[in-house]
């Protein structure tokens, strides 16, 4: 199975947001950069068949921008909300791993996502830095690429 692990785009600073962190939205910079990056991404890479997003507003907004360029299904899953662990991510992915031709995009948070990727493909022995809006491309549990958002702008 091919999976794009995508960190949500730039969000409003925690210091500038008074509400619950789950409701913190993307910043204007995050929206503009995600639009441009996903536009370029969709013309360069195989588009996902399904997008799974955490329920955090910043992740949902990132996923919705990606969906506009990829024209695929989008689902929210509370298991990958901030603070998710290995078993949470694994459970979400196992829902789709019976179809090896399916391309999945998972929009989530750091450091949860890179910890999962490290264990998923390298038994915890891989250290990744996935910046905001970055994409880690995994195919059949092999790291195929790490695309930081600025490379797609």
């Amino acid at each position: 199975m091919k999976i794009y692990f995508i960190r949500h785009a730039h969000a409003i600073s925690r210091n500038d947001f008074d509400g619950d962190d789950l409701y913190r939205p993307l910043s204007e910079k995050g929206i503009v950069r995600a639009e441009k990056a996903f536009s370029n991404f969709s013309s360069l890479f195989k588009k996902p068949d399904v997008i799974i997003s955490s329920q955090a507003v910043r992740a949902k907004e990132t996923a919705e921008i990606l969906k506009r360029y990829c024209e695929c299904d989008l689902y929210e899953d509370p298991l990958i909300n901030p603070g998710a662990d290995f078993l949470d991510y694994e459970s979400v992915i196992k829902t789709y791993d019976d179809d090896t031709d399916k391309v999945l995009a998972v929009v989530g948070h750091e450091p949860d996502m890179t910890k999962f990727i490290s264990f998923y493909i390298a038994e915890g022995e891989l250290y990744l830095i996935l910046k905001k809006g970055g994409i880690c491309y995994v195919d059949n549990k092999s790291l195929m690429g790490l695309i930081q958002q600025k490379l797609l702008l």
Side-chain angles (χ1 to χ4, degrees), residues 90-105:
E90 185 176 55
S91 177
V92 169
I93 288 167
K94 279 191 175 198
T95 303
Y96 298 93
D97 71 0
D98 60 338
D99 186 351
T100 57
D101 293 331
K102 189 168 292 277
V103 179
L104 183 64

Side-chain angles (χ1 to χ4, degrees), residues 141-153:
K141 293 191 176 184
S142 295
L143 179 63
M144 302 304 289
L146 185 60
I147 310 156
Q148 300 300 3
Q149 187 182 60
K150 68 181 178 180
L151 297 175
L152 293 170
L153 299 178

Side-chain angles (χ1 to χ4, degrees), residues 123-135:
E123 298 178 356
E125 296 297 321
L126 179 66
Y127 177 74
L128 296 171
I129 296 174
L130 191 58
K131 295 183 178 186
K132 292 176 182 154
I135 302 168

Side-chain angles (χ1 to χ4, degrees), residues 11-21 23-27:
I12 292 174
S13 163
R14 286 185 181 139
N15 295 335
D16 295 334
F17 187 74
D18 291 330
D20 184 317
D21 191 52
Y23 300 105
R24 189 163 49 96
L26 293 180
S27 65

Side-chain angles (χ1 to χ4, degrees), residues 68-147:
R68 283 199 302 270
Y69 290 98
C70 296
E71 301 172 3
C72 61
D73 293 327
L74 168 59
Y75 302 101
E76 293 175 28
D77 197 315
L79 286 177
I80 58 172
N81 283 356
D85 64 21
F86 177 86
L87 294 175
D88 296 326
Y89 272 93
E90 185 176 55
S91 177
V92 169
I93 288 167
K94 279 191 175 198
T95 303
Y96 298 93
D97 71 0
D98 60 338
D99 186 351
T100 57
D101 293 331
K102 189 168 292 277
V103 179
L104 183 64
V106 179
V107 182
H109 308 272
E110 281 300 288
D112 315 331
M113 194 169 342
T114 54
K115 284 181 183 177
F116 171 75
I117 295 166
S118 176
F119 281 97
Y120 184 65
I121 66 176
E123 298 178 356
E125 296 297 321
L126 179 66
Y127 177 74
L128 296 171
I129 296 174
L130 191 58
K131 295 183 178 186
K132 292 176 182 154
I135 302 168
C136 181
Y137 173 38
V138 173
D139 186 358
N140 197 28
K141 293 191 176 184
S142 295
L143 179 63
M144 302 304 289
L146 185 60
I147 310 156

Side-chain angles (χ1 to χ4, degrees), residues 1-4 48-52 93 96 102-106:
M1 175 173 18
K2 294 173 178 55
I3 307 171
Y4 298 114
D49 299 303
V50 177
I51 302 168
I52 308 299
I93 288 167
Y96 298 93
K102 189 168 292 277
V103 179
L104 183 64
V106 179

